[in-house]
């Protein structure tokens, strides 16, 4: 899997997430609306924030539901925002 080797976090621990996407223009609003539920809009198609493991799993599942083959989504996950 994409996160192989990353130890799971305790439910109350926060991880720092940065997500960016490159999708067709008519799909940008779909991603923006979804990501704003979880993260802060930093610039254009870049979102960042601190999430629990449960929130992160929910976000990943939500992205999986809306993604189509032409969409490109890049995620960075750090154990905390100071890594």
């Amino acid at each position: 899997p994409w996160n192989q080797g990353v130890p799971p976090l305790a439910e109350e621990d926060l991880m720092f997430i940065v997500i960016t996407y490159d999708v067709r223009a008519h799909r940008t609003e779909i991603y923006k609306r979804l990501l704003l539920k979880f993260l802060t809009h930093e610039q254009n198609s870049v979102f960042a924030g601190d999430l629990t493991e449960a929130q992160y799993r929910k976000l990943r599942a939500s992205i999986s539901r809306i993604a189509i083959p032409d969409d490109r989504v890049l995620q960075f996950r750090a154990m905390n925002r100071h890594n």
Side-chain angles (χ1 to χ4, degrees), residues 7-78:
L9 296 176
E11 198 66 34
E12 64 278 358
D13 291 336
L14 295 177
M15 65 183 92
F16 183 65
I17 304 295
V18 176
I19 295 182
T20 185
Y21 58 85
D22 181 20
V23 298
R24 294 189 182 268
H26 69 278
R27 295 186 49 75
T28 57
E29 200 59 35
I30 295 168
Y31 277 91
K32 186 176 180 181
R33 277 195 309 264
L34 170 64
L35 293 171
L36 281 173
K37 293 177 183 178
F38 297 90
L39 303 168
T40 302
H41 189 205
E42 298 296 330
Q43 69 178 49
N44 296 332
S45 60
V46 179
F47 293 77
D50 298 297
L51 300 178
T52 64
E53 182 71 31
Q55 291 169 322
Y56 181 64
R57 285 193 307 264
K58 188 174 180 179
L59 173 58
R60 292 275 305 155
S62 297
I63 290 172
S64 293
R65 281 193 298 277
I66 66 168
I68 62 173
D70 285 347
D71 293 349
R72 291 186 292 179
V73 179
L74 182 61
Q75 303 174 42
F76 297 95
R77 174 181 168 182

